[in-house]
Each structure stands twice: as structure tokens, then as C-alpha cells.
Amino acid sequence: MPPANATQFQNTNHAEICDVVIGIDFGTSCSKVVLQSPYFADRRAMLVPFGDLGHPINSHLLPTKLYYDRQGNCSLATDLNSLCTSGIKLRLLQNPDIGESLSDFAITPRTLAIAYIALVLRHARQWFLTTQSKIYGNFRIRWHLNIGIPSPGYDDHDRRELFKCIAADAWRFSLGTESVSLARIWQYFEGRWKPNNRIDIESDAINVMPEIVAEVLGYAKSNLRENGLHVLIDIGAGTIDISGFILHNKEGEDRYSFLTSDLDHLGAYHCHLDRVQRIKEHVTRWFSHLAGRQDLAMPIMASLPEYFPRLADFGTDAEKDILEEFYTRCRALVHRTLKSLKKNRDPNSERWKTGLPIFFCGGGKSLSIYRRVLDDLHECWQTSMATRGLKIIDLPKPANLVADSLDEQLYDRFAVAYGLSYPYYDIGEIRPPGSISNVSIDPTPKYAHIEYVSKDLV
Ligand SMILES: Nc1ncnc2c1ncn2[C@@H]1O[C@H](COP(=O)(O)OP(=O)(O)OP(=O)(O)O)[C@@H](O)[C@H]1O
Ligand SMILES: [Mg+2]
């Protein structure tokens, strides 16, 4: 097994180069990694398994959790004697540099993210160098690294730089001979520790990409692709990320013109927290009711289970009350995007007459509440908004994706990592919403603002 910091196959001095791109989808709950050789072996894309470190439901899902001891030494392996931190991405997005002290160093969301991604990089490279030598062992590997960023932050220069710097620092710390350590990362930021200068990656080979662009890249590069307006909804653990974009070509290059990009903390984990909070309120009311019983002559319950409520004891509207408010907020978020597209951003699109294609992705899409939002909006947009409604589409699993075992239905969970494994300069041009002006409703479609020519105008 090559050492954890290795970047090249052992005992090779080959001059011939093979590019390999590492795509890391740094998720709130789980991270996913795909490696791709874009110019060799039919663009082979490999979904990295995490073995025992992976989640029990699928070993390609790595929980976004970091274990560390009091000296700051980090590990991805569960260790009951260590401290464990999760929610790294959410905290990073809130404030990357708010710290808490441990011994003689501080721990911040930034240092946690660097340590976590450094360990992910070590694992991914080690897996590649150990298992893929038959195919790639005769080459010198030229590495590239792409990391995802929530789409609404893409035109935020500071946020892009934050993720890019974290990726670059993580790469640097993955190359040390010593263990990945939060104490050392902190000393590095304080100027008290100098990392290895041999980084074996070009600085312009580390890039960030909006998660939503990465997610549709497989579709954009497939023969199912159609130019025009699309919506993508990603139900993650923390957030719903929703964007309306126009996919088109300009001089042979793909272009993604984002007309809207919205995000709210309505992901599957928040759905769970919201339900727990509402159930708690009902349970509290139930026990207050029991404790305040005035009829002292009434027989007392004979067994313990009789003290605990069933859903029916909360009243006939309880289920609706527990689920409905969250549903309404999700519906409002999706409706807001649709309304903005129809009213201002692309009122002349043919899709209003043929059905608006919606990619529905992310681990949380299995929760029925989200599907209900789309089904209800489909009906509403057919009946009240005079359109053909929504056309929900599954992302196709790309033919070049190699995985030990991957259910077709699970593919979209890995679509972001797959898209991130494309070389950054092959993606095409991404235009954020701020760079595209509204279009007026006009009998002759005007697409000059995005330089898009629909099929029926050619
Ligand atoms: N079968 C299922 N039923 C219900 N919820 C599920 C199911 N499978 C996964 N989830 C939920 O999906 C979420 C994870 O989805 P995903 O991996 O897309 O999120 P993430 O990428 O980590 O988050 P984000 O995109 O917000 O950073 C978790 O909250 C998990 O509980
Ligand atoms: Mg995600």
C-alpha cells in the first residue's frame, strides 16, 4: 500500500502524463468523490468507495464527520475516545473563522474543513494508487481538483475564494508525512509552521464549481441533452438548492445561463427537526393535560403505556399541523422560482407550452413531502397558470461511470461528484443570475440578453 501522502505510483519514472481529476462533493451530511481520466481510458470515471469509513447504507457515501484527539490529530474513522464534529459545511457557510480553543490551538470551521478534505484526498489518492495501477500505472499522474460550492454563492467572490483556498490548503496538508493535525493547520495560519513546498499540482488545477452545474453536467454532455430552460432542485440534508437555467451553446462551448438561483434551509434534516419540534409541542400539551386533570375520582391508568399518546390523541388535525407548515414553506420556495421565470426571467420560453423540465435530485428527494410539493405545483401550474405544468426528469447515469455497485436510482446522489470530475476548462461558461437582465413579455421572443437561440427560431 502506498503511503498516505503519495501522489504517484511507486517505482515509476514515466514521462508520459495522464490527467486525473478529483471531484469532491463536500456535502452537509455525506461527501462523495469521483475520479476521472478525461483524456484516457474512454473518460473513465470512478466512484471512490470508502470501505468501513463509508455509511452503512452505501460505502460510497462518506459521513461529513471529523474525529480528533486533544492534540488535534484527525481521523475519518469512528473513535469513541476522540472528539467528533459534524455540520462542518453549515458552520463554514455561516462563519469560517469563529473559533473555539483546545489546548494551545483554536478550532474553526475553516481548519475543520481543511483537515477533513485533506483526509478525503489521502483516501481517494491511496485508493486510486492501490487499485488502479493496471490501467494507469505506466503514467505520471497530473492531478486536478474540483470542489462544489452551493450555487447561490457562486457570484460571491469571497465565498468562491474561501472554498478554493480550503481546497488548496487541504491538498497541501494531505501531502505531509505526519498525521493531519488541527494544531498544525492552526500554526500554519499563525505563520508558525511551514508546509512542504512539493505540492505536485498546478495552482490553476484547483477550482470551484456550483453544485447545480456539476449536477447537470452528465446530462449536458449526454445525447439526451436538449437546449433551453430547465430547473434543478437538489434536496440535500441542510438545504434545498433550486435554480432555473438555460442550457445552450456558443461557438461549440456549453453555456449555463442562470436566471434564478435560490436556497433555503429546508433540506431533509431540517424537515426532521421541524417535525420533532412540532411533535414535542403536542407531547408537552398532552402531559400538561394529564397533569392538570381535575376529576380526582376518575380511575387512574393501570399501565405505563397508557400514559403515552398516540397520534390520534393529538386531535384530528395534528398530522396536518405537524407536516403542513414545512410543506407550505417548501412549496413557496419552488413556486417563487417558477413565478420569477414565468414573469420576468424567461416568459417567452417554449417550455411553458410543452412542460418545464425539472431535475429532482439529492438524498432528500426520497421523502414524500418534497414530491408532493412538485405534484401539487404541477397541477396548479396546469390549471391556474395556463402552462403545461412540470416535467419531472431523472438524471441519467453516465455510461463512463464505474462503481462497484450502484443502483440506477441512487445515481443522482453522486451526480454532483461526477460533474466535478470533469476538467474545469471543459465545463463551458457559467453566467450567474446577476449578469443576465430580465426579458419583457413580447410576441417575438427576445433572447439577445442571453444569446440563446431556441430550436424553433433556427
Ligand atoms: N431514503 C431516504 N428517505 C428519506 N431521507 C433520505 C433517504 N436517503 C437519504 N435521505 C436524507 O437525504 C439527506 C442527504 O442527502 P444528500 O447526500 O443529497 O445531502 P448532502 O449533499 O450531504 O447535503 P447538502 O447538499 O445540503 O450539502 C440526509 O438528510 C438523509 O437523511
Ligand atoms: Mg448535496
Side-chain angles (χ1 to χ4, degrees), residues 3-7 22 24 26 31 33 50 53 62 64-67 72-76 88 109-127 145 147 163-182 184-185 188-189 193 195 206:
N5 64 345
T7 53
I22 306 179
I24 299 187
F26 175 46
S31 297
V33 181
F50 292 97
L53 302 173
L62 178 71
T64 307
K65 278 185 184 170
L66 185 70
Y67 295 86
N73 297 311
C74 299
S75 166
L76 297 175
I88 303 172
R110 185 193 295 268
T111 61
L112 290 168
I114 292 170
Y116 176 78
I117 296 168
L119 290 170
V120 172
L121 285 168
R122 280 187 169 190
H123 176 92
R125 284 194 316 249
Q126 212 170 20
W127 172 82
L145 170 61
I147 186 159
F163 276 75
K164 196 170 166 171
C165 289
I166 285 173
D169 287 333
W171 181 271
R172 201 178 280 286
F173 278 94
S174 73
L175 300 182
T177 46
E178 40 315 81
S179 70
V180 172
S181 151
L182 289 168
R184 219 166 283 121
I185 297 172
Y188 163 69
F189 282 118
W193 189 80
I206 299 181

Side-chain angles (χ1 to χ4, degrees), residues 25-28 30 32 89 211 215 234-237 362-363 413 416:
D25 175 11
F26 175 46
T28 303
C30 288
K32 305 98 182 165
K89 182 174 173 184
E211 287 169 6
E215 210 153 17
D234 181 290
I235 317 281
R413 196 94 188 257
V416 174

Side-chain angles (χ1 to χ4, degrees), residues 208-265:
V208 296
M209 207 194 288
E211 287 169 6
I212 277 195
V213 172
E215 210 153 17
V216 292
L217 216 69
Y219 165 78
K221 304 276 181 202
S222 77
N223 51 14
L224 298 173
R225 167 217 172 100
E226 278 183 27
N227 279 348
L229 180 65
H230 296 79
V231 170
L232 191 142
I233 304 177
D234 181 290
I235 317 281
T239 56
I240 296 185
D241 206 335
I242 173 167
S243 289
F245 61 94
I246 293 181
L247 181 58
H248 49 123
N249 284 102
K250 196 181 172 231
E251 289 151 15
E253 188 188 58
D254 283 335
R255 191 179 258 200
Y256 305 82
S257 294
F258 279 80
L259 303 179
T260 63
S261 196
D262 209 347
L263 169 148
D264 204 347
H265 295 274

